[in-house]
Amino acid sequence: MSVHPLSMLVRKLEMRSVLSDADRSAILDLPMTKRSMSRSAYMLREGEPPATCSVLIEGYAFRQKLTSDGARQIVSLHLPGDALDLQGLFLDLADHNIQALTQAELAVIPRTAIRELMVKHPAVSVAIHTDITVEASICREWLTNVGRRQAQARLAHLLCEFAVRLDAQGLGTDGSYELPMIQEQIGDALGLTSVHINRTLKAMELGSLICRTGRSITFPNIDALRAVAGFSPLYLHLGVQGT
């Protein structure tokens, strides 16, 4: 039995607000076009009018900003089930870029259809607004991570968040995670060079905080990793909010 392309979006929004059967059906009935994206392809460019909102069906994506001299700062990481530009529902122009981190499959939805859905289904509107608010919370934590934590704590925090978010979406595999980012991209997310990331990963392996096999990563002592990161999942606001 095939899985509906928007079923993971339903799961994600149900983490934000209680939805009825009618709410779920309305989400699944949204008009959409499936689109395949190659690694590094742009899904949205800064300065463009965001006429659609894409939902990740498979693969990973990231938001990024470029400085005037071409330096890149990755400002968020997105997983399957994430709606990539709910913020763009209410803005005239995109103020950042969105790129595919891996090969990805998208469900592309007209933003007018999502706006209409929000008017007709208040619980879905609450879920979407809550999701936007949680994205802002994650952005604050990333800002703190880059601005105030040391290199090993920054990386440990990113890894802890990645694992928790995958598990919340039902995408974790017995404590093993496929890390989709190369060292350069991790560095661009943490404000560090790829050389520094390489040294930090090796130090964390020697300290038995992580184990790596290719792109697969496991955490032999997740409590120790969280302690190094100073990690608390509070900012992820897991579970239905506003109850």
Side-chain angles (χ1 to χ4, degrees):
M1 182 177 177
S2 61
V3 177
H4 193 286
L6 296 180
S7 61
M8 291 191 70
L9 176 63
V10 172
R11 179 189 176 110
K12 178 73 178 291
L13 293 178
E14 283 189 306
M15 292 168 56
R16 308 304 188 202
S17 177
V18 176
L19 301 180
S20 67
D21 288 342
D23 295 328
R24 297 186 197 96
S25 295
I27 296 169
L28 296 177
D29 287 340
L30 282 167
M32 48 151 281
T33 303
K34 291 182 70 174
R35 183 180 300 168
S36 298
M37 307 294 291
S38 59
R39 185 188 302 269
S40 299
Y42 278 81
M43 300 167 174
L44 182 69
R45 288 185 183 271
E46 186 173 354
E48 290 181 344
T52 62
C53 180
S54 296
V55 176
L56 266 177
I57 302 171
E58 296 179 12
Y60 298 85
F62 62 91
R63 299 178 198 266
Q64 54 101 328
K65 294 280 289 184
L66 296 174
T67 64
S68 58
D69 60 359
R72 179 177 67 178
Q73 181 67 43
I74 292 176
V75 297
S76 65
L77 174 64
H78 294 279
L79 319 179
D82 284 357
L84 296 180
D85 202 25
L86 291 177
Q87 298 168 27
L89 292 175
F90 310 105
L91 300 175
D92 293 331
L93 296 174
D95 52 42
H96 60 279
N97 303 296
I98 303 178
Q99 280 182 271
L101 182 58
T102 64
Q103 185 171 343
E105 296 291 325
L106 303 179
V108 182
I109 306 167
R111 72 174 185 170
T112 52
I114 299 179
R115 284 177 168 179
E116 290 172 6
L117 172 70
M118 294 170 70
V119 171
K120 294 177 181 177
H121 294 267
V124 177
S125 181
V126 169
I128 287 174
H129 280 99
T130 303
D131 197 64
I132 293 170
T133 304
V134 173
E135 282 192 355
S137 175
I138 294 172
C139 185
R140 288 190 289 272
E141 191 67 31
W142 276 47
L143 180 61
T144 303
N145 202 38
V146 171
R148 289 299 177 184
R149 294 189 178 105
Q150 298 300 311
Q152 189 169 104
R154 289 186 208 182
L155 181 52
H157 200 281
L158 178 68
L159 294 175
C160 287
E161 177 187 305
F162 182 64
V164 169
R165 289 175 63 194
L166 280 176
D167 287 342
Q169 278 288 77
L171 299 172
T173 308
D174 296 326
S176 178
Y177 306 92
E178 195 76 11
L179 189 63
M181 306 173 81
I182 62 175
Q183 290 179 13
E184 178 186 0
Q185 292 164 336
I186 296 172
D188 285 348
L190 299 179
L192 300 167
T193 66
S194 57
V195 172
H196 204 159
I197 294 297
N198 185 49
R199 285 201 303 264
T200 305
L201 284 168
K202 288 180 178 178
M204 293 172 75
E205 284 185 290
L206 288 172
S208 299
L209 292 172
I210 63 172
C211 291
R212 290 187 296 164
T213 304
R215 288 189 178 274
S216 179
I217 188 166
T218 57
F219 310 125
N221 188 339
I222 189 63
D223 290 335
L225 187 70
R226 289 188 173 196
V228 168
F231 180 82
S232 166
L234 174 66
Y235 71 98
L236 296 172
H237 299 282
L238 300 172
V240 174
Q241 303 296 306
T243 56

